[in-house]
Amino acid sequence: MGIIDQIDLNNTPKHIAIIMDGNGRWAQQQGEERLFGHNIGVESVREALKAAQEMNVQYLTLYAFSTENWERPQEEVDGLMDLLVHTISSEVEELDQSNVVISTIGHTAGLPQGCQEELAAAYEQTKTNTGVNLILALNYSAQWEIVEAAKKIAIDVSNGTLDLDDISKETISDNLTTKGIPDPELLIRTSGEHRVSNFLLWQIAYSELHFTEVLWPDFKKENLYTAVLDYQSRERRFGMVSAQLEK
Ligand code: FPP
């Protein structure tokens, strides 16, 4: 019996978020430049997407470039942007055929023009699809989006369109770049690091966290099945006690 046969397909997470980590270390282990790891990492994106499709996952959010990643050597930043543009343009047709919606979260206006255009075109082409939503977090940081949300809410309060007492959790959620997207039930980080690195801090309040030693370029469909099996073994209490959940 394969791992996928052990999964309850009626109880898979609607939304899985992944911090794809370890490309650089993987490349170094192969005696290659860091960019080689990112290139091979694209194959792991395909694997994760295929596994998500098989498990009826509706949203797959991938942390592809953080606002802090601009601090990396220029050659790596340029290489990552080229890889992104090239990958989207070469894959969009097939993704469209398999009913995937490609969208982004993050400060995409701060990305190179060519990259913005490629992403906008991919969204235009796929936005009416009804399959998996592949969400790329690009130039994203959770603290950035929370600050932006605070500014938008402050403007609404100061111009009188929002009453201070009406600010709720929903007000915050509705002003984040993930507006309309359900919170992830499962967050995965590869490469053995046990951090969330400024990713979806608001949205993961009750997410199950799964950490794996696997470096991202080695990530295969089976690794996503394993993470979902781990998720299905957890009891999600949302602050309550077990007995309340049984009612
Ligand atoms: C983290 O590994 C990985 C990234 C910052 C980039 C991830 C991007 C890809 C896999 C390409 C994505 C492409 C598409 C189309 C979504 P790291 O470089 O931090 O690894 P290290 O911790 O070993 O140095």
Side-chain angles (χ1 to χ4, degrees), residues 20-25 34 38 64 69 72 84 87 136 216:
M20 310 180 285
D21 196 14
N23 294 351
R25 276 164 286 166
R34 296 176 55 81
H38 297 315
N69 287 152
R72 293 189 172 201
L84 195 72
T87 306
L136 303 176
W216 182 250

Side-chain angles (χ1 to χ4, degrees), residues 4-231:
I4 192 161
D5 304 312
Q6 299 169 48
I7 292 171
D8 174 1
L9 289 176
N10 295 315
N11 182 30
T12 50
K14 271 197 188 65
H15 184 175
I16 299 178
I18 308 182
I19 301 175
M20 310 180 285
D21 196 14
N23 294 351
R25 276 164 286 166
W26 185 90
Q28 273 158 1
Q29 285 173 8
Q30 317 286 317
E32 298 280 354
E33 297 293 322
R34 296 176 55 81
L35 271 173
F36 182 66
H38 297 315
N39 273 287
I40 303 298
V42 173
E43 186 49 41
S44 301
V45 171
R46 285 193 200 98
E47 290 272 325
L49 180 62
K50 276 188 268 170
Q53 287 170 320
E54 288 168 10
M55 292 187 288
N56 310 320
V57 171
Q58 292 168 22
Y59 299 87
L60 181 67
T61 301
L62 304 177
Y63 205 3
F65 195 88
S66 75
T67 52
E68 288 81 19
N69 287 152
W70 296 110
E71 304 300 324
R72 293 189 172 201
Q74 195 58 43
E75 192 188 325
E76 183 172 347
V77 171
D78 293 345
L80 269 169
M81 291 299 148
D82 284 351
L83 178 63
L84 195 72
V85 171
H86 177 256
T87 306
I88 301 287
S89 77
S90 62
E91 303 277 326
V92 68
E93 215 45 65
E94 197 182 324
L95 290 169
D96 191 24
Q97 291 302 314
S98 63
N99 207 15
V100 171
V101 181
I102 305 168
S103 66
T104 55
I105 55 169
H107 184 35
T108 46
L111 294 170
Q113 195 61 33
C115 196
Q116 288 185 47
E117 285 165 10
E118 205 61 62
L119 291 163
Y123 177 66
E124 261 324 294
Q125 182 170 343
T126 60
K127 67 182 181 191
T128 56
N129 288 341
T130 54
V132 178
N133 288 272
L134 176 64
I135 303 164
L136 303 176
L138 289 165
N139 200 14
Y140 176 87
S141 106
Q143 290 173 337
W144 164 81
E145 79 168 345
I146 292 168
V147 168
E148 290 305 303
K151 287 185 202 165
K152 285 187 252 169
I153 294 166
I155 290 170
D156 287 347
V157 172
S158 70
N159 67 21
T161 53
L162 177 66
D163 196 290
L164 191 63
D165 293 327
D166 289 336
I167 296 176
S168 63
K169 285 193 284 190
E170 286 68 35
T171 318
I172 310 282
S173 297
D174 287 349
N175 281 283
L176 298 173
T177 62
T178 49
K179 180 179 174 175
I181 301 170
D183 290 342
E185 294 93 335
L186 174 63
L187 171 72
I188 300 169
R189 183 173 189 147
T190 59
S191 92
E193 305 292 351
H194 295 186
R195 291 188 291 277
V196 289
S197 297
N198 218 344
F199 191 41
L200 302 175
L201 297 182
W202 176 269
Q203 299 86 341
I204 60 169
Y206 285 101
S207 303
E208 297 298 328
L209 309 183
H210 175 88
F211 298 103
T212 169
E213 296 293 319
V214 172
L215 301 176
W216 182 250
D218 286 330
F219 195 90
K220 300 280 176 273
K221 288 201 294 184
E222 286 68 24
N223 300 107
L224 198 70
Y225 305 151
T226 302
V228 169
L229 261 188
D230 181 24
Y231 162 82

